[in-house]
Amino acid sequence: MTPAPSASSDLTAVPDTELLRLDHQVCFSLHAASRAFGGYYRRVLKDLGLTYPQYLVMLVLWERGPQSVKVIGERLHLDSGTLSPLLKRLESAEMVRRERSREDERSVVIDLTDEGAALRERALSVPRGVLAATGLSLEEVLGLQELLRRVTGALGEAVEGE
């Protein structure tokens, strides 16, 4: 069996048939990892009453305070069609409130309720639990995050270049 191409190998020297193997697809490895993370987060976030996308919104608000829907969408790479129903569910759960901006009536600002702000304390254990569950060191996780940012940026540029 031919080993997976290494980062330093010349891809032109690798037979096309090897590049088509499922186990050699970077996207498949990312997909499998994403599903594994999703399963883990589903379990730990259940106690907080949040889905993973809701947790991401809460992270933005816990970190940055009140934000416009547009800014939250940009930060999370979500379009308004995905974000709006998510925010409505958080509002129904009394975690956030939505208000029109005083400076720009067209803009909606999302802010934490007291209950949403208090949930932050219960969520403090989530990142450490995720880190422990991966079996990776902090340095390895930081390196992985940097690699994924590079991949995301390169793929974004490739799509924009079309």
Side-chain angles (χ1 to χ4, degrees), residues 84-144:
S84 291
L86 192 156
L87 293 171
K88 286 180 184 177
R89 286 191 299 276
L90 282 171
E91 186 177 37
S92 294
E94 300 181 356
M95 298 290 174
V96 302
R97 67 180 149 269
R98 299 172 339 144
E99 298 175 355
R100 292 270 170 210
S101 168
R102 291 186 182 120
E103 292 82 36
D104 181 356
E105 284 291 316
R106 297 169 296 174
S107 179
V108 175
V109 174
I110 307 299
D111 195 4
L112 294 166
T113 61
D114 290 343
E115 187 175 336
L119 187 62
R120 182 180 182 276
E121 292 304 311
R122 291 181 45 216
L124 287 173
S125 63
V126 173
R128 286 188 195 280
V130 171
L131 183 59
T134 66
L136 299 174
S137 70
L138 178 59
E139 292 76 23
E140 289 171 318
V141 168
L142 294 174
L144 178 59

Side-chain angles (χ1 to χ4, degrees), residues 29-90:
S29 297
L30 288 170
H31 174 72
S34 179
R35 289 183 51 83
F37 270 108
Y40 181 84
Y41 274 104
R42 244 185 319 283
R43 185 174 60 79
V44 298
L45 294 176
K46 184 178 182 183
D47 293 338
L48 299 178
L50 296 173
T51 63
Y52 181 69
Q54 291 170 340
Y55 174 68
L56 295 179
V57 169
M58 298 301 285
L59 287 173
V60 170
L61 297 173
W62 291 329
E63 181 181 334
R64 297 180 174 197
Q67 299 290 305
S68 71
V69 172
K70 180 181 178 185
V71 168
I72 294 171
E74 288 170 353
R75 181 75 173 110
L76 299 179
H77 306 277
L78 294 175
D79 60 52
S80 62
T82 302
L83 190 55
S84 291
L86 192 156
L87 293 171
K88 286 180 184 177
R89 286 191 299 276
L90 282 171

